[in-house]
Amino acid sequence: MKETAISIRELTKRFGDFTAVDRISFDVYKGEIFGFLGANGAGKTTAMRMLCGLSFPTSGSGTVAGFDVMREGEMIKRHIGYMSQRFSLYDDLTVMENIRLFAGIYNLTPYRTRRRAVELLSRLNFLGERHTLVGALPLGWKQKLAFSIATLHSPEIVFLDEPTGGVDPITRRQFWELIYEEANRGTTVFVTTHYMDEAEYCARVSIMVDGEVRALDTPAALKRQFATDSMDGVFRTIARGAKRAE
Amino acid sequence: MNTDIIPFIRKESLHILRDKRTLLIVLLQPAVMLLLFGFAISTEVNDVRVAAVAPHRTAGVTEAVNRVAHNPNFTFYGYIQQNEIDDVLRRGDVTAVVVFADDYDRAVMQAAQGYAVNPPIQIVVDASNTNIAGTASVYLQNILLGTASAQSLFETRLLYNPQMKSAYNFVPGIMGVIFMLVCAMMTSVSIVREKEVGTMEVLLVSPVRPTKIILAKMIPYFVISCVTLAIILLISRFVLDIPMSGGIGGIVFVSLIYLALALALGLLISTFARTQIAAWMVSAVVMLMPMIMLSGMLFPIENLPLVLQPLTCAVPARWYISAMRKMMIEGLPVGAAMTELAVLCFMLLAVLGFALKKFNDKLE
């Protein structure tokens, strides 16, 4: 039996009459790259906010990094990393100042901060840029840096909300190499994306439609099940039945 | 849960220091405004040119004209003919003309003995600028009255601002506006910017308490405002010569309460506004306009229409400006501004409580 990093059952979020997330259940294994797909408005973001301890579930149960999603949101926040679709570093601070800020937020000791900073900057070949303002870096570099900073405090799970939006294919490829490296070190990666080729990189993929998880399996199994040769085909077949407008 | 607030304060300070243009504006604006209002925009009447019409230049007439000519507020243009009055006024050569009657000397003498006489002096004033016209004509009357009658019936004494310098009156008003601008506008814009750019989300996913994020945003702006306060008080004392005899401690204390209130208002605005532009608009238009109109800064509250007068009670600047007038200009101790202080404290608690509640609700 594989160890789970995320395990949720019947998780639901209602806003008044509107059920944004409708009784979703799934497990994510430790060290796995888990793709979380869905059309706009399918409830992806709401589901992810619940998993990050940002939003309180209306009903259901589950654990993230071993902590209860209903009661231990604050503990969850300390054991996860997060990178949002919109850029999440400060443009008017230098690379090092950004690192120090997030190190401070997660209570890293000065010694550990320095060690981690050198470690991740040399991995990115960024050591020479550490006193450059983040705003002056190209978008692709920024996003690689944002990912590295999201894993600065060695979280058990890192949540990536459309991390590669607006980046060229080569940089996206490099970004995914970073994700693989991180997963090889044992970090669980939970990623949402709109790019179906990226879905192929994931170990397993779930597809949300109208607040429900409609499919969950490895990309290969999904393609077999829906008798198509691409994830694009799988996604379109499943999302065709969506009732919610974008 | 003991994440230190220091990294956040350092971050906010860096944001402010990196934005040199804004910082410069924030620090220079009070000085520029004070000096502008203090010296350039003056409601005092200076250098009013006056001409005289006198059919007979008798001793009495010459003496009266000399008095006007020697007064520092007036410049004597010269004697003109009766038919030239309209011309010189129209051309803007003079602002006022003093017309002496044919029998000026005799009329003055008879008036002094208690006889009823026709007015021996006529003052013709260009009233296109009502402010100057009013002040100048009253002032001219006073000067000429001194020559006409041996003794005036009235003795007016101006307290607190004996030289009637208009700068005095503006200083508290400017303080009220500037602190609101710096604190409320800058905090709200800075919080909303993080929402807009997306960094707020990352901060909220982190284990840091939202209250700490907000507190860390307010502290650097509070420090900047304290520097501004020091600049304003120094200029007031040493450039504008405002005595502030009531004690500096009380002035600073009430100002700090007002600063905190402005910061809380900024936080409140940030919970409503979604974009920086919206935050800016709300601070500038929705808050600033009523503040200027209803705070007593420009127009005395007693002169406002009755319907509007109760509304002024809701404007924080009204209470602050009133307290500052008492303490800076009248030189009263802080005890005289207890009502104002109490209202400001109450507003601070109410706004801060409401803003924090709104902010926490929004997180869900």
Side-chain angles (χ1 to χ4, degrees):
Chain A
M1 187 65 203
K2 283 186 262 185
E3 266 188 283
T4 58
I6 300 173
S7 172
I8 53 166
R9 294 291 173 269
E10 307 269 303
L11 212 57
T12 302
K13 179 76 185 185
R14 277 189 215 98
F15 299 103
D17 291 341
F18 178 69
T19 308
V21 174
D22 196 3
R23 288 172 293 152
I24 56 170
S25 306
F26 57 79
D27 290 323
V28 177
Y29 305 116
K30 268 197 179 144
E32 182 180 34
I33 299 175
F34 188 86
F36 196 57
L37 313 188
N40 292 337
K44 261 185 322 185
T45 309
T46 313
M48 195 145 146
R49 286 173 65 88
M50 286 194 284
L51 296 179
C52 294
L54 268 186
S55 175
F56 197 73
T58 313
S59 66
S61 65
T63 58
V64 172
F67 299 100
D68 191 332
V69 286
M70 301 297 280
R71 291 182 293 112
E72 296 172 306
E74 289 305 316
M75 291 303 288
I76 291 175
K77 284 183 181 178
R78 278 202 254 172
H79 289 86
I80 60 167
Y82 176 85
M83 179 192 161
S84 101
Q85 58 185 0
R86 292 182 296 171
F87 186 60
S88 49
L89 297 178
Y90 292 94
D91 274 352
D92 55 345
L93 301 187
T94 66
V95 172
M96 235 4 239
E97 284 163 352
N98 268 293
I99 292 178
R100 262 194 232 108
L101 168 66
F102 284 94
I105 290 175
Y106 289 98
N107 266 337
L108 266 58
T109 59
Y111 170 73
R112 183 142 176 252
T113 308
R114 261 195 310 278
R115 221 194 47 204
R116 287 289 286 155
V118 171
E119 198 177 303
L120 71 88
L121 287 178
S122 48
R123 198 189 305 150
L124 296 173
N125 282 328
F126 265 19
L127 268 176
E129 303 286 343
R130 63 185 183 281
H131 298 304
T132 310
L133 288 185
V134 166
L137 297 174
L139 183 64
W141 290 37
K142 283 187 195 174
Q143 265 157 325
K144 282 190 260 180
L145 187 64
F147 175 74
S148 301
I149 289 180
T151 57
L152 182 71
H153 56 294
S154 317
E156 285 161 47
I157 308 166
V158 57
F159 287 86
L160 306 175
D161 191 1
E162 289 169 28
T164 53
V167 183
D168 64 78
I170 296 166
T171 316
R172 257 169 57 197
R173 183 66 234 182
Q174 292 171 342
F175 192 90
W176 273 90
E177 276 161 20
L178 279 180
I179 294 182
Y180 271 112
E181 279 177 37
E182 198 58 44
N184 283 338
R185 276 189 289 272
T187 311
T188 309
V189 180
F190 187 97
V191 56
T192 73
T193 179
H194 275 312
Y195 299 106
M196 286 307 136
D197 58 326
E198 290 188 349
E200 307 261 8
Y201 303 152
C202 299
R204 286 189 307 147
V205 168
S206 79
I207 298 175
M208 264 188 99
V209 177
D210 293 345
E212 296 167 14
V213 172
R214 288 280 165 83
L216 197 170
D217 215 326
T218 61
L222 284 174
K223 280 185 278 189
R224 257 197 320 275
Q225 186 188 339
F226 290 89
T228 152
D229 57 354
S230 71
M231 278 308 292
D232 209 30
V234 175
F235 186 78
R236 263 189 262 171
T237 317
I238 295 175
R240 196 177 291 145
K243 289 181 202 74
R244 282 185 206 163
E246 287 217 346
Chain B
M1 187 64 234
N2 210 358
T3 320
D4 237 25
I5 195 167
I6 308 292
F8 275 100
I9 297 181
R10 192 171 52 205
K11 151 189 175 280
E12 294 303 333
S13 313
L14 282 172
H15 286 320
I16 297 172
L17 292 176
R18 290 276 149 81
D19 193 357
K20 294 225 167 50
R21 217 175 312 164
T22 312
L23 184 64
L24 201 68
I25 291 174
V26 168
L27 290 179
L28 278 184
Q29 187 191 29
V32 171
M33 269 175 99
L34 270 190
L35 296 176
L36 266 183
F37 276 105
F39 293 108
I41 308 174
S42 165
T43 51
E44 292 160 48
V45 175
N46 274 320
D47 194 30
V48 177
R49 284 183 303 269
V50 179
V53 176
H56 309 295
R57 292 187 201 163
T58 60
V61 168
T62 325
E63 200 229 341
V65 167
N66 278 341
R67 263 177 183 262
V68 174
H70 287 137
N71 190 290
N73 291 319
F74 294 99
T75 308
F76 184 57
Y77 175 79
Y79 289 100
I80 54 171
Q81 296 302 315
Q82 182 88 34
N83 55 10
E84 290 174 310
I85 294 177
D86 204 40
D87 268 359
V88 288
L89 282 174
R90 258 183 214 287
R91 280 202 308 269
D93 288 348
V94 300
T95 309
V97 179
V98 181
V99 184
F100 294 91
D102 280 345
D103 54 350
Y104 174 73
D105 285 7
R106 192 165 51 83
V108 169
M109 215 184 310
Q110 281 179 348
Q113 286 159 2
Y115 295 105
V117 290
N118 284 330
I121 303 179
Q122 182 190 31
I123 298 175
V124 186
V125 189
D126 167 10
S128 50
N129 183 331
T130 49
N131 193 11
I132 294 181
T135 317
S137 68
V138 170
Y139 211 10
L140 269 177
Q141 281 177 36
N142 283 332
I143 295 169
L144 295 168
L145 204 64
T147 58
S149 65
Q151 208 178 358
S152 172
L153 285 176
F154 302 100
E155 188 199 308
T156 313
R157 199 171 277 174
L158 301 165
L159 292 180
Y160 314 127
N161 181 3
Q163 292 164 290
M164 287 192 80
K165 286 206 172 165
S166 48
Y168 276 27
N169 220 3
F170 274 112
V171 173
I174 289 173
M175 291 167 80
V177 173
I178 283 186
F179 292 144
M180 213 27 108
L181 265 182
V182 173
C183 294
M185 188 183 283
M186 294 191 60
T187 354
S188 64
V189 168
S190 131
I191 295 176
V192 174
R193 183 191 300 135
E194 297 229 13
K195 283 205 266 182
E196 218 178 30
V197 177
T199 43
M200 186 58 98
E201 219 174 295
V202 180
L203 295 184
L204 293 179
V205 186
S206 80
V208 180
R209 287 250 161 92
T211 357
K212 272 193 184 164
I213 301 175
I214 295 309
L215 202 62
K217 281 223 168 283
M218 290 178 157
I219 288 172
Y221 288 111
F222 190 73
V223 172
I224 289 188
S225 308
C226 289
V227 174
T228 311
L229 177 65
I231 294 176
I232 291 183
L233 290 181
L234 285 174
I235 293 183
S236 305
R237 179 68 192 82
F238 295 108
V239 182
L240 300 175
D241 286 328
I242 298 177
M244 295 192 268
S245 43
I248 198 86
I251 296 175
V252 172
F253 179 70
V254 177
S255 297
L256 292 184
I257 299 281
Y258 182 69
L259 288 182
L261 174 58
L263 287 171
L265 274 171
L267 174 59
L268 186 63
I269 293 172
S270 76
T271 62
F272 291 105
R274 277 171 189 280
T275 61
Q276 294 178 60
I277 296 290
W280 190 88
M281 286 291 279
V282 172
S283 321
V285 181
V286 182
M287 267 177 50
L288 206 58
M289 286 307 284
M291 191 161 72
I292 291 173
M293 298 298 176
L294 301 178
S295 66
M297 177 199 178
L298 290 180
F299 315 114
I301 290 163
E302 295 76 17
N303 289 5
L304 290 173
L306 273 178
V307 217
L308 288 182
Q309 287 191 18
L311 274 182
T312 63
C313 295
V315 179
R318 176 216 156 134
W319 302 99
Y320 177 67
I321 291 173
S322 152
M324 283 303 112
R325 285 209 170 123
K326 284 184 183 169
M327 287 191 284
M328 289 180 74
I329 293 170
E330 294 175 33
L332 297 174
V334 71
M338 271 306 155
T339 318
E340 285 87 348
L341 186 57
V343 172
L344 287 175
C345 286
F346 170 76
M347 283 178 166
L348 170 62
L349 292 179
V351 173
L352 195 62
F354 185 56
L356 282 178
K357 191 183 172 304
K358 281 283 304 182
F359 185 79
N360 280 321
D361 287 352
K362 275 281 159 72
L363 296 184
E364 249 304 291

